[in-house]
Amino acid sequence: MIHVHDISKRYGSIEALRGVSFDIQPGEIVGLLGPNGAGKSTAIKIVTGFLHPDAGFVEIDGLNVLRDLRAVQDKIGYLSENTPLYPELSVQTYLGMIADLRAVPASDYTRLLSDAIYGTGLQAYLTRSIASLSKGLRQRLGLAQAILHKPQFLILDEPTVGLDPTQIVEIRALIKALAQDSTILFSSHILSEVEAICDRVIIIINGEVKADQSLRELSMSNDATLVLQRDSADVAQTLGALEGVASIQPLRSLDDYPAWRIQGTADITAQIYALARERDWPLRELRRDTVTLESFFNQLATTA
C-alpha cells in the first residue's frame, strides 16, 4: 500500500532524513515515533506530498507521490496536530465545505457526512460555531474532516490531544474500526496510546530508522525471572549450566523472596521450569519478562 524508499532531506546544513525506507501494508495501524527534531514531521510531509525529498521516492497504492500528487492526495486523510479550523463556521457548515473541497459525489454526500459526524460523536454540535467548541470537540472535528471521504490512507498526528479519558477510549475504538477500510500512520508522543492502538512501530532518531517491528515481537524478551519461596544452594550455578543462558543476576523480589533474572539467547522458561521440578526448588514465580515500548524507545534514544 505505502512504499517509502531511501528518502533523504536537508535543510541547509541540517540533515533531517537520511536514507529512510519502510513499507506499510493495507489495514495496518503503524506508529511513527521519535524524539523532537528526529525527522517525523519531515517524513509525514514527504509522504503526503507537501514536501519534496532530495533523494528517494514514495509510492502510495502504486502511484508515485511526486508524479501523481493529486491522485495520491485524494486517497489521503490527514489530521495534523493543530488542525486549521474556521472559528466563525458552524460544525455542519465546515464539514459541508470539506465535502465540497473533496469533491464528494452527490450520491454519497449524505451518507459520508453522516458517517463522519456519528463516527466522531458530533451529532449534538452541528449548529454550534467552531469558536464555541472545547479543545476535545475541535479535535474530534479535525478527525471528522480527515475521514469524511473514506480515505485509503489516514495520517493521524497526535489525534487524542485534549480529549478526556472517555473520549480517548472512543477515539481508539474509532481508529481501530477505520483500519478495516484505511491504512493508518499514527504519530504520537504518548507511548501508551501507540501501544493501545498500533500493530507496529517505526522509530526515527536523528533522521534514520532505528527500529521497525511489530509491537508483539517488541514486547517479547528472552529474559526470565525466577522467584523461589526460599533460597536453595547452587541455584545460579545450576541455571548457568542450561543451554541458552547468557547471564544470571541475583535479585530480591518486591515481597523480599530470593529471585534471579536469567538472560537467554532464546525463550528458556520451559527449561527453567523443568529444572526447578527436577531439583525440587520451592517455586513461587517463573515468568518470561516483557519489554515495554517506553523502555525500548528510551534505550534507543539514549544510545543513538
Side-chain angles (χ1 to χ4, degrees):
M1 177 66 178
I2 301 162
H3 176 57
V4 177
H5 178 74
D6 204 26
I7 59 172
S8 298
K9 183 67 181 179
R10 298 185 70 94
Y11 299 104
S13 61
I14 299 174
E15 195 170 22
L17 293 177
R18 185 165 50 251
V20 167
S21 297
F22 57 83
D23 292 308
I24 302 177
Q25 302 304 318
E28 276 194 301
I29 307 177
V30 176
L32 183 65
L33 305 178
N36 290 332
K40 301 189 306 297
S41 295
T42 298
I44 287 174
K45 289 176 182 177
I46 290 174
V47 169
T48 55
F50 288 106
L51 194 64
H52 287 196
D54 296 330
F57 63 90
V58 178
E59 290 182 344
I60 294 180
D61 201 21
L63 298 174
N64 185 286
V65 171
L66 295 183
R67 290 198 305 265
D68 308 294
L69 180 59
R70 182 59 183 271
V72 166
Q73 290 185 339
D74 284 343
K75 297 175 179 289
I76 294 174
Y78 180 39
L79 172 64
S80 63
E81 184 174 358
N82 298 299
T83 303
L85 301 172
Y86 297 88
E88 69 277 9
L89 297 182
S90 70
V91 169
Q92 187 170 10
T93 302
Y94 172 75
L95 290 176
M97 180 189 71
I98 295 298
D100 291 339
L101 290 173
R102 284 289 187 181
V104 171
S107 59
D108 297 327
Y109 189 93
T110 301
R111 175 179 60 83
L112 293 181
L113 204 61
S114 178
D115 286 350
I117 290 167
Y118 280 89
T120 52
L122 290 171
Q123 60 271 22
Y125 307 96
L126 295 180
T127 59
R128 291 265 299 270
S129 70
I130 294 174
S132 70
L133 299 180
S134 67
K135 185 175 181 179
L137 287 172
R138 292 187 188 199
Q139 195 72 359
R140 283 199 265 172
L141 180 57
L143 185 56
Q145 65 80 27
I147 66 175
L148 179 59
H149 59 299
K150 287 288 194 295
Q152 290 177 260
F153 180 33
L154 191 58
I155 297 177
L156 305 177
D157 194 357
E158 304 287 354
T160 59
V161 169
L163 303 184
D164 63 39
T166 301
Q167 292 168 342
I168 287 174
V169 171
E170 292 171 352
I171 294 298
R172 281 182 188 173
L174 175 59
I175 291 171
K176 287 184 174 292
L178 290 171
Q180 297 176 16
D181 301 307
S182 301
T183 300
I184 300 175
L185 185 62
F186 180 99
S187 180
S188 177
H189 285 93
I190 306 173
L191 299 184
S192 59
E193 284 298 295
V194 175
E195 281 187 304
I197 293 173
C198 297
D199 307 310
R200 192 172 120 229
V201 291
I202 297 168
I203 299 177
I204 296 179
I205 298 177
N206 296 330
E208 296 182 309
V209 174
K210 296 297 185 180
D212 181 355
Q213 64 186 113
S214 75
L215 282 170
R216 180 179 176 84
E217 291 173 349
L218 184 151
S219 67
M220 300 309 296
S221 167
N222 289 328
D223 295 354
T225 296
L226 171 68
V227 183
L228 300 181
Q229 292 278 5
R230 60 181 181 276
D231 207 350
S232 294
D234 301 326
V235 171
Q237 182 178 351
T238 306
L239 288 170
L242 283 176
E243 184 178 354
V245 171
S247 66
I248 300 168
Q249 178 185 0
L251 305 170
R252 276 283 168 182
S253 67
L254 292 177
D255 41 9
D256 208 34
Y257 286 94
W260 294 262
R261 175 170 292 116
I262 305 102
Q263 291 184 314
T265 57
D267 179 15
I268 53 173
T269 49
Q271 295 96 303
I272 295 172
Y273 178 72
L275 184 62
R277 291 195 61 183
E278 177 188 323
R279 296 301 178 100
D280 200 26
W281 290 341
L283 185 64
R284 180 174 179 83
E285 181 182 1
L286 173 62
R287 67 175 183 270
R288 185 178 182 181
D289 293 341
T290 58
V291 178
T292 66
L293 179 58
E294 181 177 4
S295 64
F296 181 75
F297 178 84
N298 289 335
Q299 183 182 12
L300 283 178
T302 54
T303 57

